[in-house]
Amino acid sequence: MSGEPGATGQRAGGPARARDWDAATYDRISGVQEAWAHEQLARLSLQGDETVLDAGCGSGRVTAALAELVPRGRVFAVDASPAMVAHTRARLGSRVTVLCQDLAELTLPEPVDVIFSNATFHWIGDHAKLFRALAKALRPGGRLVAQCGGHGNIESFRRAADAVASSGEFAAYFRGWQGPWNYARAEITAERLAAAGFVEVETWLEPRPTLLSDARSFVATVCLVRHLDLLPDDLHEPFIRAVLARTGLPLTLDYVRLNMDARRAGERR
Ligand SMILES: C[S@@+](CC[C@H](N)C(=O)[O-])C[C@H]1O[C@@H](n2cnc3c(N)ncnc32)[C@H](O)[C@@H]1O
């Protein structure tokens, strides 16, 4: 039997599950995100002795690559998901200081030279607050290089998920829900970064249509992770199946990435 639908925004799995991810499955299926991350890491041109932050480290696959770029430096990794944090700690041991925090409330033990982030900021509703927190965590002159989902991201997939969420036995669980994503435009992102104290700001959108090799695991673990929070366990599979029946298989997601490159105002070190 399914549980009763909760009030709007109430999660079937309770608050503890609200921000969590299946870290082991994410680690296995996140080759797509890792490939994007390597493109962003190539833009960093690090000297090797910097203190860096991986903002939204996930399972630590990308953090490991970032750590290799600063053999004489220090690495912080922050994520709001306890399972992702545990996975990153187990993978990277004492090489990286891994903290379980909301990036919009970020507090690091020391300021960093570089903040790197991949596939994370679109999960955070208030970008103005996020960018203020990131600016505070950077040394003056420190660099932000980030990529996340941007305006128009996975639009056809979202249409399919919305249609299923508003139909039949699922509708009661999603009533009034706005969805989990913040897919911002490049222009407003540049304005928000400047308002938070960043200079030399560049932002741009980049279409990246991507064919999924294991669509069922990918959408269940990534695209629908917060949708499934709202449903009782026995409706997870029917929901995933109904969304994939609408999108059809094989599934190419119409990804649009939002890139950010900026410096915190002030003297560089
Ligand atoms: C798609 S994963 C990306 C992980 C990793 N950066 C990568 O490229 O594989 C998104 C990550 O953002 C984290 N996240 C979402 N909202 C967050 C927040 N407000 N504060 C910190 N982390 C957050 C999630 O827990 C998840 O690990």
Side-chain angles (χ1 to χ4, degrees):
M1 273 279 287
S2 301
E4 288 299 305
T8 301
Q10 192 176 319
R11 291 170 169 86
R17 208 170 78 174
R19 282 190 166 176
D20 225 348
W21 288 61
D22 174 348
T25 307
Y26 181 79
D27 197 63
R28 181 171 60 77
I29 53 91
S30 58
V32 170
Q33 286 84 350
E34 191 181 27
W36 296 330
H38 279 284
E39 293 173 16
Q40 313 317 309
L41 290 172
R43 289 201 278 130
L44 279 178
S45 21
L46 294 165
Q47 291 170 2
D49 60 352
E50 293 89 345
T51 299
V52 299
L53 165 68
D54 187 3
C57 61
S59 61
R61 261 174 92 153
V62 172
T63 319
L66 177 62
E68 277 180 21
L69 298 177
V70 287
R72 301 177 306 285
R74 288 238 279 260
V75 185
F76 291 98
V78 167
D79 204 283
S81 153
M84 292 294 213
V85 164
H87 206 280
T88 300
R89 279 195 185 128
R91 176 194 291 261
L92 295 167
S94 58
R95 175 71 184 92
V96 173
T97 303
V98 190
L99 303 167
C100 192
Q101 290 186 16
D102 182 340
L103 287 168
E105 313 276 352
L106 181 66
T107 314
L108 294 180
E110 59 180 289
V112 296
D113 301 306
V114 173
I115 295 178
F116 175 82
S117 184
N118 186 57
T120 294
F121 292 172
H122 56 272
W123 295 100
I124 299 173
D126 187 343
H127 277 181
K129 186 175 178 194
L130 168 68
F131 297 157
R132 284 195 298 273
L134 298 181
K136 229 169 99 187
L138 275 172
R139 278 186 220 289
R143 182 147 177 231
L144 169 69
V145 169
Q147 187 188 79
C148 64
H151 182 70
N153 197 48
I154 58 168
E155 202 155 303
S156 23
F157 180 85
R158 278 190 282 150
R159 271 200 299 272
D162 287 350
V164 174
S166 61
S167 69
E169 59 190 330
F170 306 116
Y173 296 93
F174 292 101
R175 203 163 289 131
W177 192 53
Q178 298 297 308
W181 300 300
N182 179 7
Y183 292 138
R185 292 178 187 271
E187 297 77 6
I188 185 73
T189 301
E191 286 169 23
R192 286 173 180 148
L193 285 166
F198 285 93
V199 295
E200 300 172 34
V201 173
E202 286 181 58
T203 59
W204 69 100
L205 290 176
E206 185 184 347
R208 295 299 292 265
T210 302
L211 174 66
L212 300 180
S213 57
D214 178 357
R216 193 251 157 236
S217 296
F218 192 93
V219 303
T221 308
V222 181
C223 309
L224 298 177
V225 61
R226 298 286 74 96
H227 292 70
L228 299 180
D229 288 342
L230 300 177
L231 292 170
D233 289 348
D234 61 342
L235 286 182
H236 287 192
E237 273 311 315
F239 185 75
I240 294 162
R241 270 203 305 275
V243 173
L244 290 178
R246 271 196 176 256
T247 62
L249 291 171
L251 175 57
T252 296
L253 287 178
D254 46 351
Y255 274 117
V256 179
R257 311 317 286 168
L258 169 60
N259 294 291
M260 296 164 221
D261 199 329
R263 283 191 189 281
R264 182 183 160 182
E267 194 81 2
R268 291 178 208 178
R269 71 169 198 161

